[in-house]
Amino acid sequence: MELKRVVVTGLGALTPIGNNISEYWDSLIHGKSGAAPITYFDTSLFKTKFACEIKNFNANDYFDRKEVRRLDRFAQYALVASDEAILDSGVDLNVVDKYRVGVIWGAGIGGLETFQNEVIDFAKGDGTPRFNPFFIPKMIADIAPGNISIKHGFMGPNYATVSACASSANAMIDALNYIRLGYSDIMVTGGSEAAVTQAGMGGFNSMHALSTRNDDPQKASRPFDANRDGFVLGEGGGALILEEYEHAKARGAKIYAEVIGGGMSSDAYHMTAPHPEGIGVIAVMKNCLENSGLKPEDVDTINTHGTSTPLGDVAELKAIKQVFGEHAKNININSTKSMTGHLLGAAGAVEAIASILAMQNSLVPPTINHETADENIDSELNLTLNKPQKREIKVAMSNTFGFGGHNACVAFKKMEE
Amino acid sequence: MSDIASRVKAIIVDKLGVDENEVVTEASFTNDLGADSLDTVELIMEFEKEFDIQIPDDQAENISTVGQAVSYIEEAKK
């Protein structure tokens, strides 16, 4: 059977460097860091005291008091980002066939703060299990797509993908495939995360995964720099409206880009460490090229997973050289995590959005905070260091990899009739 | 209004996000104040905490209005 073509017709973002798409893009091209001391809780006993929190976000501006209490922050971010994307798409909710509109959403963890606080309360008590009735429905990762569908009445496929930091990339690929196969006309997809909590910071700290550059948070996320010392935890949400091409054309929708394919693979190696030869990462980019009908030379930019960890960054760049050969030098490689921090399950979505906006604007956002070259990184690669670079982009790829060895890669192409 | 009644009212206003004027004696949590099954459970738990009482499930089923909650608690606190 012939696969349907799929296009992006709406975008939404709530990120540490901007609370909507235009603010997000403006910060990306100006190399703005979202890192700052944590405001949510007292960090005096924590090894890492900073993160990329959402700024100037007041849930009461978006939800009534009762809704705020029923929604963990990760679900609030999901609703805010998806609302922006739905509005942006111009879909008329009164005429669209809602059985043909689904929601597939990524969250690596879900309502971590809800889980943490309920368990703290329980532990303070006398052992009587007095859990709030909203504990479970607030915490579960799939409540984000559940709430999006409840709000808008979307009755198509609805679930969450959980593959740690690859979650929303997996969500986008699933959404793409449902439309390709003709099961849905429109999919609301993306991801959200809100893990800047005591449990989140403490947990990642104990893995030695986070940067501890407490004296200079804004310089801490420095992918590919020789002195990188771990990732910076971020939070937020990113949403994309994927739509079957003819459906979009028929309603005269504006089209950002075509989603031409996705790759998926597993390292099958270690719970958290990347495979030193990057075999799973090589496989995922090859899968993505094949699934998208691309040759390596077609690719203009790659928004890397590039988390600013010592092992991961080197392994990913080695894998890019393996897959793209000589052409690797011609690719604009970047890591927008240098600015946003690592949004975990939302990373795939916000980074794909960055790639799509780069394509739209013919401008690749920089990898900021690069000061010292790493001798383990090929100096011939163009890592888009510190300043944005002009570039006509026909094809952009976005990589994300998650603890558990999950790899996902999505490819977008400039729209052609 | 009794002390108990005003504390009950405050809890309902807070948890259900409703206007104080709506929380009248006859108001039903579900039919008038927009509570769903989870809200109702949460209200009962809040009453238990606020007044340091235990409301068994079979009794809780009979508490569906503001007035019923106030009478139950007044009885329990005697």
Side-chain angles (χ1 to χ4, degrees):
Chain A
M1 85 184 258
E2 201 183 323
L3 296 176
K4 311 260 192 206
R5 290 175 75 183
V6 180
V7 294
V8 180
T9 58
L11 298 175
L14 176 57
T15 76
I17 58 172
N19 291 4
N20 55 51
I21 288 290
S22 74
E23 284 178 24
Y24 176 44
W25 176 246
D26 193 61
S27 294
L28 282 175
I29 56 170
H30 288 99
K32 204 169 136 187
S33 165
I38 288 172
T39 62
Y40 294 147
F41 58 90
D42 176 8
T43 57
S44 48
L45 298 174
F46 284 71
K47 268 200 304 197
T48 297
K49 303 174 193 302
F50 62 96
C52 290
E53 293 178 346
I54 298 289
K55 321 283 187 300
N56 306 316
F57 175 78
N58 183 358
N60 296 307
D61 294 342
Y62 299 90
F63 307 102
D64 68 35
R65 223 152 44 87
K66 187 169 158 183
E67 287 171 323
V68 171
R69 289 198 315 108
R70 288 166 162 251
L71 298 166
D72 185 272
R73 283 190 286 135
F74 96 102
Q76 295 174 8
Y77 300 164
L79 284 163
V80 171
S82 60
D83 273 0
E84 184 187 5
I86 292 163
L87 189 68
D88 181 46
S89 75
V91 171
D92 185 344
L93 297 177
N94 295 312
V95 300
V96 74
D97 178 356
K98 292 189 176 178
Y99 287 92
R100 304 271 307 163
V101 183
V103 187
I104 302 179
W105 198 260
I109 303 174
L112 184 59
E113 185 174 45
T114 297
F115 190 97
Q116 167 197 292
N117 291 346
E118 283 292 326
V119 173
I120 287 173
D121 279 352
F122 173 62
K124 279 183 188 156
D126 63 2
T128 311
R130 296 174 53 84
F131 287 90
N132 188 288
F134 292 106
F135 167 30
I136 301 292
K138 265 176 81 174
M139 177 264 294
I140 51 181
D142 54 287
I143 209 67
N147 275 308
I148 294 169
S149 69
I150 292 164
K151 176 158 187 185
H152 302 287
F154 300 144
M155 294 176 71
N158 190 292
Y159 61 87
T161 50
V162 179
S163 48
C165 311
S167 298
S168 55
N170 276 115
M172 291 186 286
I173 295 169
D174 281 12
L176 162 69
N177 285 330
Y178 279 122
I179 301 174
R180 272 176 161 176
L181 292 167
Y183 297 165
S184 299
D185 297 327
I186 295 177
M187 296 297 293
V188 179
T189 187
S192 58
E193 204 80 79
V196 182
T197 63
Q198 289 149 293
M201 292 302 293
F204 284 116
N205 256 162
S206 67
M207 295 170 66
H208 299 280
L210 298 178
S211 167
T212 54
R213 199 178 293 272
N214 292 312
D215 57 343
D216 199 357
Q218 300 225 326
K219 292 275 172 68
S221 187
R222 47 172 69 211
F224 317 128
D225 182 273
N227 298 314
R228 64 192 183 277
D229 72 330
F231 74 80
V232 177
L233 191 57
E235 61 165 357
L240 300 90
I241 306 302
L242 304 193
E243 186 166 354
E244 194 268 317
Y245 174 52
E246 295 298 334
H247 191 274
K249 213 165 71 171
R251 67 178 185 87
K254 84 173 165 298
I255 293 174
Y256 284 98
E258 182 169 2
V259 199
I260 52 172
M264 294 175 275
S265 77
S266 173
D267 276 7
Y269 171 70
H270 185 270
M271 283 169 70
T272 57
H275 190 287
E277 305 303 319
I279 54 167
V281 174
I282 292 168
V284 82
M285 286 187 280
K286 283 188 170 169
N287 290 346
C288 186
L289 290 172
E290 192 189 331
N291 190 258
S292 310
L294 293 170
K295 298 188 294 292
E297 315 72 274
D298 295 331
V299 176
D300 299 303
T301 66
I302 301 175
N303 195 351
T304 57
H305 187 55
T307 54
S308 187
T309 54
L311 295 177
D313 290 5
V314 170
E316 184 175 9
L317 294 179
K318 273 188 189 161
I320 288 175
K321 282 181 66 179
Q322 275 272 317
V323 173
F324 293 91
E326 274 300 299
H327 180 64
K329 286 184 283 189
N330 307 326
I331 300 175
N332 262 105
I333 297 168
N334 70 342
S335 169
T336 48
K337 284 191 183 80
S338 57
M339 296 173 274
T340 61
H342 190 353
L343 273 67
L344 305 179
V350 296
E351 288 161 25
I353 291 168
S355 296
I356 292 166
L357 294 171
M359 182 180 283
Q360 283 258 307
N361 293 281
S362 302
L363 189 61
V364 183
T367 307
I368 66 165
N369 292 330
H370 193 275
E371 292 169 354
T372 312
D374 179 341
E375 57 182 26
N376 299 307
I377 291 173
D378 185 343
S379 60
E380 289 200 313
L381 294 174
N382 178 3
L383 303 173
T384 322
L385 298 175
N386 300 324
K387 286 201 165 66
Q389 290 179 15
K390 283 188 183 157
R391 170 101 186 212
E392 281 303 315
I393 302 167
K394 265 198 176 149
V395 173
M397 277 176 41
S398 179
N399 278 342
T400 40
F401 318 132
F403 287 159
H406 322 286
N407 308 305
C409 174
V410 190
F412 299 93
K413 192 175 177 197
K414 196 161 221 165
M415 193 60 214
E416 288 166 0
E417 283 298 313
Chain B
M1 203 185 335
S2 73
D3 168 55
I4 286 177
S6 63
R7 282 155 72 191
V8 164
K9 198 168 169 176
I11 289 171
I12 294 169
V13 166
D14 178 46
K15 296 296 171 193
L16 300 184
V18 289
D19 198 272
E20 224 180 284
N21 305 326
E22 296 175 69
V23 189
V24 293
T25 309
E26 317 79 59
S28 151
F29 301 142
T30 50
N31 298 333
D32 302 315
L33 301 176
D36 63 18
S37 57
L38 296 175
D39 290 316
T40 315
V41 176
E42 194 184 30
L43 279 182
I44 296 293
M45 287 177 61
E46 286 301 315
F47 298 150
E48 290 181 327
K49 202 159 83 184
E50 173 74 18
F51 298 103
D52 193 23
I53 55 174
Q54 293 293 324
I55 308 178
D57 286 352
D58 57 340
Q59 301 288 313
E61 281 167 22
N62 300 324
I63 302 175
S64 60
T65 67
V66 178
Q68 285 164 353
V70 172
S71 333
Y72 183 92
I73 295 162
E74 281 173 347
E75 195 60 34
K77 294 303 281 181
K78 262 183 189 166

PDB file of all heavy atoms in Angstrom, chain A residues 96-120:
ATOM      1  N   VAL A  96     -13.728  19.458  12.039  1.00  0.00           N
ATOM      2  CA  VAL A  96     -12.822  18.325  11.864  1.00  0.00           C
ATOM      3  C   VAL A  96     -13.472  17.045  12.409  1.00  0.00           C
ATOM      4  O   VAL A  96     -14.258  17.088  13.355  1.00  0.00           O
ATOM      5  CB  VAL A  96     -11.474  18.634  12.578  1.00  0.00           C
ATOM      6  CG1 VAL A  96     -11.597  18.527  14.086  1.00  0.00           C
ATOM      7  CG2 VAL A  96     -10.371  17.747  12.060  1.00  0.00           C
ATOM      8  N   ASP A  97     -13.187  15.903  11.766  1.00  0.00           N
ATOM      9  CA  ASP A  97     -13.708  14.617  12.244  1.00  0.00           C
ATOM     10  C   ASP A  97     -12.847  14.171  13.421  1.00  0.00           C
ATOM     11  O   ASP A  97     -11.729  13.699  13.255  1.00  0.00           O
ATOM     12  CB  ASP A  97     -13.650  13.578  11.112  1.00  0.00           C
ATOM     13  CG  ASP A  97     -14.143  12.208  11.558  1.00  0.00           C
ATOM     14  OD1 ASP A  97     -14.459  12.039  12.763  1.00  0.00           O
ATOM     15  OD2 ASP A  97     -14.207  11.304  10.704  1.00  0.00           O
ATOM     16  N   LYS A  98     -13.395  14.315  14.630  1.00  0.00           N
ATOM     17  CA  LYS A  98     -12.566  14.115  15.826  1.00  0.00           C
ATOM     18  C   LYS A  98     -12.186  12.648  16.057  1.00  0.00           C
ATOM     19  O   LYS A  98     -11.272  12.358  16.821  1.00  0.00           O
ATOM     20  CB  LYS A  98     -13.248  14.728  17.049  1.00  0.00           C
ATOM     21  CG  LYS A  98     -13.281  16.259  16.945  1.00  0.00           C
ATOM     22  CD  LYS A  98     -13.735  16.927  18.210  1.00  0.00           C
ATOM     23  CE  LYS A  98     -13.649  18.452  18.050  1.00  0.00           C
ATOM     24  NZ  LYS A  98     -14.128  19.157  19.230  1.00  0.00           N
ATOM     25  N   TYR A  99     -12.892  11.734  15.405  1.00  0.00           N
ATOM     26  CA  TYR A  99     -12.476  10.330  15.476  1.00  0.00           C
ATOM     27  C   TYR A  99     -11.186  10.101  14.696  1.00  0.00           C
ATOM     28  O   TYR A  99     -10.532   9.083  14.837  1.00  0.00           O
ATOM     29  CB  TYR A  99     -13.585   9.408  14.939  1.00  0.00           C
ATOM     30  CG  TYR A  99     -14.765   9.292  15.871  1.00  0.00           C
ATOM     31  CD1 TYR A  99     -15.858  10.140  15.741  1.00  0.00           C
ATOM     32  CD2 TYR A  99     -14.782   8.336  16.884  1.00  0.00           C
ATOM     33  CE1 TYR A  99     -16.944  10.042  16.599  1.00  0.00           C
ATOM     34  CE2 TYR A  99     -15.860   8.228  17.746  1.00  0.00           C
ATOM     35  CZ  TYR A  99     -16.938   9.076  17.603  1.00  0.00           C
ATOM     36  OH  TYR A  99     -17.998   8.966  18.459  1.00  0.00           O
ATOM     37  N   ARG A 100     -10.865  11.055  13.815  1.00  0.00           N
ATOM     38  CA  ARG A 100      -9.664  10.931  12.984  1.00  0.00           C
ATOM     39  C   ARG A 100      -8.524  11.806  13.502  1.00  0.00           C
ATOM     40  O   ARG A 100      -7.545  12.058  12.807  1.00  0.00           O
ATOM     41  CB  ARG A 100     -10.002  11.333  11.534  1.00  0.00           C
ATOM     42  CG  ARG A 100     -11.161  10.548  10.909  1.00  0.00           C
ATOM     43  CD  ARG A 100     -10.719   9.298  10.236  1.00  0.00           C
ATOM     44  NE  ARG A 100      -9.672   9.516   9.265  1.00  0.00           N
ATOM     45  CZ  ARG A 100      -8.899   8.542   8.781  1.00  0.00           C
ATOM     46  NH1 ARG A 100      -9.078   7.294   9.194  1.00  0.00           N
ATOM     47  NH2 ARG A 100      -7.965   8.803   7.896  1.00  0.00           N
ATOM     48  N   VAL A 101      -8.703  12.340  14.726  1.00  0.00           N
ATOM     49  CA  VAL A 101      -7.640  13.138  15.350  1.00  0.00           C
ATOM     50  C   VAL A 101      -7.174  12.418  16.617  1.00  0.00           C
ATOM     51  O   VAL A 101      -7.989  12.111  17.495  1.00  0.00           O
ATOM     52  CB  VAL A 101      -8.130  14.558  15.735  1.00  0.00           C
ATOM     53  CG1 VAL A 101      -6.971  15.385  16.308  1.00  0.00           C
ATOM     54  CG2 VAL A 101      -8.746  15.260  14.529  1.00  0.00           C
ATOM     55  N   GLY A 102      -5.885  12.119  16.695  1.00  0.00           N
ATOM     56  CA  GLY A 102      -5.353  11.410  17.860  1.00  0.00           C
ATOM     57  C   GLY A 102      -4.291  12.222  18.570  1.00  0.00           C
ATOM     58  O   GLY A 102      -3.887  13.295  18.113  1.00  0.00           O
ATOM     59  N   VAL A 103      -3.855  11.706  19.711  1.00  0.00           N
ATOM     60  CA  VAL A 103      -2.789  12.356  20.482  1.00  0.00           C
ATOM     61  C   VAL A 103      -1.794  11.295  20.925  1.00  0.00           C
ATOM     62  O   VAL A 103      -2.185  10.333  21.611  1.00  0.00           O
ATOM     63  CB  VAL A 103      -3.340  13.061  21.750  1.00  0.00           C
ATOM     64  CG1 VAL A 103      -2.224  13.870  22.420  1.00  0.00           C
ATOM     65  CG2 VAL A 103      -4.527  13.959  21.425  1.00  0.00           C
ATOM     66  N   ILE A 104      -0.561  11.429  20.501  1.00  0.00           N
ATOM     67  CA  ILE A 104       0.491  10.542  21.006  1.00  0.00           C
ATOM     68  C   ILE A 104       1.572  11.428  21.602  1.00  0.00           C
ATOM     69  O   ILE A 104       2.139  12.283  20.918  1.00  0.00           O
ATOM     70  CB  ILE A 104       1.058   9.628  19.897  1.00  0.00           C
ATOM     71  CG1 ILE A 104      -0.069   8.789  19.287  1.00  0.00           C
ATOM     72  CG2 ILE A 104       2.145   8.720  20.480  1.00  0.00           C
ATOM     73  CD1 ILE A 104       0.382   7.868  18.174  1.00  0.00           C
ATOM     74  N   TRP A 105       1.808  11.257  22.879  1.00  0.00           N
ATOM     75  CA  TRP A 105       2.609  12.221  23.642  1.00  0.00           C
ATOM     76  C   TRP A 105       3.730  11.499  24.389  1.00  0.00           C
ATOM     77  O   TRP A 105       3.515  10.429  24.944  1.00  0.00           O
ATOM     78  CB  TRP A 105       1.692  12.930  24.642  1.00  0.00           C
ATOM     79  CG  TRP A 105       2.258  14.200  25.173  1.00  0.00           C
ATOM     80  CD1 TRP A 105       2.873  14.374  26.387  1.00  0.00           C
ATOM     81  CD2 TRP A 105       2.289  15.479  24.523  1.00  0.00           C
ATOM     82  NE1 TRP A 105       3.279  15.685  26.510  1.00  0.00           N
ATOM     83  CE2 TRP A 105       2.926  16.381  25.391  1.00  0.00           C
ATOM     84  CE3 TRP A 105       1.839  15.929  23.275  1.00  0.00           C
ATOM     85  CZ2 TRP A 105       3.132  17.718  25.060  1.00  0.00           C
ATOM     86  CZ3 TRP A 105       2.037  17.263  22.947  1.00  0.00           C
ATOM     87  CH2 TRP A 105       2.672  18.141  23.834  1.00  0.00           C
ATOM     88  N   GLY A 106       4.906  12.115  24.433  1.00  0.00           N
ATOM     89  CA  GLY A 106       6.038  11.506  25.130  1.00  0.00           C
ATOM     90  C   GLY A 106       6.301  12.156  26.474  1.00  0.00           C
ATOM     91  O   GLY A 106       6.243  13.379  26.611  1.00  0.00           O
ATOM     92  N   ALA A 107       6.542  11.326  27.468  1.00  0.00           N
ATOM     93  CA  ALA A 107       7.003  11.820  28.775  1.00  0.00           C
ATOM     94  C   ALA A 107       7.921  10.742  29.326  1.00  0.00           C
ATOM     95  O   ALA A 107       7.532   9.572  29.382  1.00  0.00           O
ATOM     96  CB  ALA A 107       5.840  12.072  29.721  1.00  0.00           C
ATOM     97  N   GLY A 108       9.121  11.128  29.667  1.00  0.00           N
ATOM     98  CA  GLY A 108      10.073  10.127  30.144  1.00  0.00           C
ATOM     99  C   GLY A 108       9.700   9.603  31.511  1.00  0.00           C
ATOM    100  O   GLY A 108       9.884   8.422  31.822  1.00  0.00           O
ATOM    101  N   ILE A 109       9.161  10.483  32.346  1.00  0.00           N
ATOM    102  CA  ILE A 109       8.837  10.098  33.724  1.00  0.00           C
ATOM    103  C   ILE A 109       7.353  10.312  33.998  1.00  0.00           C
ATOM    104  O   ILE A 109       6.654   9.404  34.406  1.00  0.00           O
ATOM    105  CB  ILE A 109       9.677  10.903  34.744  1.00  0.00           C
ATOM    106  CG1 ILE A 109      11.184  10.696  34.467  1.00  0.00           C
ATOM    107  CG2 ILE A 109       9.330  10.454  36.169  1.00  0.00           C
ATOM    108  CD1 ILE A 109      12.107  11.538  35.319  1.00  0.00           C
ATOM    109  N   GLY A 110       6.879  11.537  33.785  1.00  0.00           N
ATOM    110  CA  GLY A 110       5.490  11.858  34.115  1.00  0.00           C
ATOM    111  C   GLY A 110       5.460  12.743  35.352  1.00  0.00           C
ATOM    112  O   GLY A 110       6.332  13.594  35.535  1.00  0.00           O
ATOM    113  N   GLY A 111       4.485  12.520  36.215  1.00  0.00           N
ATOM    114  CA  GLY A 111       4.280  13.414  37.360  1.00  0.00           C
ATOM    115  C   GLY A 111       5.193  13.105  38.533  1.00  0.00           C
ATOM    116  O   GLY A 111       4.733  12.699  39.611  1.00  0.00           O
ATOM    117  N   LEU A 112       6.466  13.361  38.347  1.00  0.00           N
ATOM    118  CA  LEU A 112       7.450  13.028  39.381  1.00  0.00           C
ATOM    119  C   LEU A 112       7.209  13.818  40.668  1.00  0.00           C
ATOM    120  O   LEU A 112       7.336  13.294  41.770  1.00  0.00           O
ATOM    121  CB  LEU A 112       8.868  13.289  38.855  1.00  0.00           C
ATOM    122  CG  LEU A 112      10.015  12.899  39.780  1.00  0.00           C
ATOM    123  CD1 LEU A 112       9.968  11.415  40.121  1.00  0.00           C
ATOM    124  CD2 LEU A 112      11.364  13.238  39.142  1.00  0.00           C
ATOM    125  N   GLU A 113       6.853  15.094  40.521  1.00  0.00           N
ATOM    126  CA  GLU A 113       6.636  15.913  41.713  1.00  0.00           C
ATOM    127  C   GLU A 113       5.436  15.419  42.517  1.00  0.00           C
ATOM    128  O   GLU A 113       5.461  15.374  43.745  1.00  0.00           O
ATOM    129  CB  GLU A 113       6.430  17.376  41.301  1.00  0.00           C
ATOM    130  CG  GLU A 113       6.324  18.309  42.487  1.00  0.00           C
ATOM    131  CD  GLU A 113       6.273  19.772  42.060  1.00  0.00           C
ATOM    132  OE1 GLU A 113       5.522  20.085  41.111  1.00  0.00           O
ATOM    133  OE2 GLU A 113       6.983  20.579  42.666  1.00  0.00           O
ATOM    134  N   THR A 114       4.393  15.028  41.802  1.00  0.00           N
ATOM    135  CA  THR A 114       3.207  14.484  42.460  1.00  0.00           C
ATOM    136  C   THR A 114       3.574  13.216  43.226  1.00  0.00           C
ATOM    137  O   THR A 114       3.204  13.034  44.393  1.00  0.00           O
ATOM    138  CB  THR A 114       2.130  14.168  41.399  1.00  0.00           C
ATOM    139  OG1 THR A 114       1.756  15.389  40.767  1.00  0.00           O
ATOM    140  CG2 THR A 114       0.920  13.515  42.021  1.00  0.00           C
ATOM    141  N   PHE A 115       4.310  12.348  42.573  1.00  0.00           N
ATOM    142  CA  PHE A 115       4.732  11.094  43.195  1.00  0.00           C
ATOM    143  C   PHE A 115       5.552  11.398  44.457  1.00  0.00           C
ATOM    144  O   PHE A 115       5.279  10.874  45.544  1.00  0.00           O
ATOM    145  CB  PHE A 115       5.578  10.287  42.203  1.00  0.00           C
ATOM    146  CG  PHE A 115       5.860   8.880  42.649  1.00  0.00           C
ATOM    147  CD1 PHE A 115       5.089   7.828  42.199  1.00  0.00           C
ATOM    148  CD2 PHE A 115       6.901   8.614  43.529  1.00  0.00           C
ATOM    149  CE1 PHE A 115       5.341   6.535  42.622  1.00  0.00           C
ATOM    150  CE2 PHE A 115       7.170   7.324  43.951  1.00  0.00           C
ATOM    151  CZ  PHE A 115       6.382   6.280  43.502  1.00  0.00           C
ATOM    152  N   GLN A 116       6.536  12.266  44.286  1.00  0.00           N
ATOM    153  CA  GLN A 116       7.423  12.629  45.399  1.00  0.00           C
ATOM    154  C   GLN A 116       6.633  13.168  46.590  1.00  0.00           C
ATOM    155  O   GLN A 116       6.801  12.714  47.719  1.00  0.00           O
ATOM    156  CB  GLN A 116       8.417  13.672  44.882  1.00  0.00           C
ATOM    157  CG  GLN A 116       9.214  14.388  45.955  1.00  0.00           C
ATOM    158  CD  GLN A 116       9.853  15.652  45.406  1.00  0.00           C
ATOM    159  OE1 GLN A 116      10.746  15.595  44.585  1.00  0.00           O
ATOM    160  NE2 GLN A 116       9.379  16.801  45.876  1.00  0.00           N
ATOM    161  N   ASN A 117       5.754  14.130  46.325  1.00  0.00           N
ATOM    162  CA  ASN A 117       5.064  14.786  47.433  1.00  0.00           C
ATOM    163  C   ASN A 117       4.082  13.858  48.142  1.00  0.00           C
ATOM    164  O   ASN A 117       3.930  13.914  49.361  1.00  0.00           O
ATOM    165  CB  ASN A 117       4.352  16.046  46.937  1.00  0.00           C
ATOM    166  CG  ASN A 117       5.351  17.124  46.544  1.00  0.00           C
ATOM    167  OD1 ASN A 117       6.541  17.035  46.879  1.00  0.00           O
ATOM    168  ND2 ASN A 117       4.893  18.131  45.821  1.00  0.00           N
ATOM    169  N   GLU A 118       3.417  13.010  47.380  1.00  0.00           N
ATOM    170  CA  GLU A 118       2.487  12.071  48.008  1.00  0.00           C
ATOM    171  C   GLU A 118       3.235  11.098  48.907  1.00  0.00           C
ATOM    172  O   GLU A 118       2.767  10.746  49.990  1.00  0.00           O
ATOM    173  CB  GLU A 118       1.713  11.304  46.930  1.00  0.00           C
ATOM    174  CG  GLU A 118       0.598  12.116  46.300  1.00  0.00           C
ATOM    175  CD  GLU A 118      -0.541  12.403  47.272  1.00  0.00           C
ATOM    176  OE1 GLU A 118      -0.837  11.559  48.125  1.00  0.00           O
ATOM    177  OE2 GLU A 118      -1.118  13.503  47.170  1.00  0.00           O
ATOM    178  N   VAL A 119       4.393  10.642  48.436  1.00  0.00           N
ATOM    179  CA  VAL A 119       5.148   9.665  49.223  1.00  0.00           C
ATOM    180  C   VAL A 119       5.766  10.338  50.456  1.00  0.00           C
ATOM    181  O   VAL A 119       5.819   9.745  51.533  1.00  0.00           O
ATOM    182  CB  VAL A 119       6.200   8.950  48.347  1.00  0.00           C
ATOM    183  CG1 VAL A 119       7.104   8.068  49.197  1.00  0.00           C
ATOM    184  CG2 VAL A 119       5.506   8.107  47.277  1.00  0.00           C
ATOM    185  N   ILE A 120       6.188  11.591  50.299  1.00  0.00           N
ATOM    186  CA  ILE A 120       6.701  12.330  51.465  1.00  0.00           C
ATOM    187  C   ILE A 120       5.598  12.439  52.528  1.00  0.00           C
ATOM    188  O   ILE A 120       5.820  12.175  53.705  1.00  0.00           O
ATOM    189  CB  ILE A 120       7.192  13.743  51.057  1.00  0.00           C
ATOM    190  CG1 ILE A 120       8.511  13.632  50.288  1.00  0.00           C
ATOM    191  CG2 ILE A 120       7.364  14.651  52.297  1.00  0.00           C
ATOM    192  CD1 ILE A 120       8.997  14.962  49.704  1.00  0.00           C
TER     193      ILE A 120
END
